[in-house]
Amino acid sequence: MAATAVLAIGVLAATAATQASATGLVAPRSECKAQANIKAPERQQEEAMRCLLNYARSHVGAGSLGISKSLERAAGRKSGDVMQCGFSHTACGRPADLYARRYGYASASSWAWGENLAVGRGQRGSARKVLKAWLHSPPHRDAMLLGSFDDAGIGLKRGRFGGHRNMAIWVLELGCHGCG
């Protein structure tokens, strides 16, 4: 089984799409508006993130990301690990791609995977603010806008983290089959 694992903290090859300025890649407030309320349930916030992410990708010609049930489950479990054990791609001492493998995403003979993590409190934990932060971080932006990624899973957990209440832990799992 050939596999390529790409972490958001790793350096990805620069492409024209990833060189795009973060300005202009964030959807106007009229886009993704229905789900963007910070007090909305987690699932609605995850949908807002997907809308915002696909808006940015469409503006660099990367194409929309499909929903992968395997990566959705992986992102949900990883956000729980991060909430419980600390902010790390290897939270709770588990391999970074454990859940992508466990839930069957890695079952193809050739695949690639990437992950972005974020934590924020209050409005800083909203889908819009987190996406903006990722777009202003070159390795995170590169992972999100990489044209060969075509699947995604988004996980959000809210709760107490690092001694603070009202924290949001975001996990974005990205992948593709046949591209590794």
Side-chain angles (χ1 to χ4, degrees):
M1 176 186 314
T4 304
V6 181
L7 290 178
I9 58 173
V11 178
L12 299 175
T15 65
T18 61
Q19 295 302 315
S21 168
T23 307
L25 295 181
V26 179
R29 293 213 179 269
S30 60
E31 294 279 332
C32 313
K33 188 175 175 181
Q35 303 95 352
N37 180 343
I38 188 71
K39 294 181 181 180
E42 290 171 355
R43 181 54 64 191
Q44 287 182 358
Q45 280 288 295
E46 291 167 354
E47 287 302 315
M49 178 63 80
R50 183 175 315 284
C51 178
L52 292 164
L53 177 59
N54 282 330
Y55 179 93
R57 287 177 59 87
S58 73
H59 281 73
V60 297
S64 293
L65 292 164
I67 298 171
S68 162
K69 290 188 187 286
S70 297
L71 292 179
E72 286 282 305
R73 289 180 68 195
R77 284 293 302 270
K78 175 63 78 72
S79 61
D81 284 359
V82 172
M83 183 71 76
Q84 177 184 347
C85 299
F87 193 77
S88 171
H89 288 282
T90 57
C92 302
R94 296 182 173 108
D97 64 352
L98 171 71
Y99 296 121
R101 291 177 182 278
R102 181 175 288 172
Y103 296 126
Y105 192 80
S107 62
S109 62
S110 179
W111 65 285
W113 167 88
E115 176 177 88
N116 283 359
L117 304 177
V119 62
R121 184 175 186 191
Q123 283 295 335
R124 290 185 182 205
S126 72
R128 184 173 295 280
K129 292 286 186 178
V130 167
L131 183 87
K132 283 181 183 180
W134 282 339
L135 285 171
H136 283 89
S137 165
H140 293 92
R141 181 180 62 239
D142 289 352
M144 290 188 317
L145 301 181
L146 187 64
S148 62
F149 284 141
D150 53 16
D151 295 322
I154 300 168
L156 168 62
K157 293 282 188 236
R158 293 191 182 280
R160 192 166 191 76
F161 180 78
H164 301 285
R165 292 181 300 164
N166 195 26
M167 299 298 285
I169 304 290
W170 286 92
V171 176
L172 171 62
E173 301 284 347
L174 299 155
C176 65
H177 288 116
C179 61

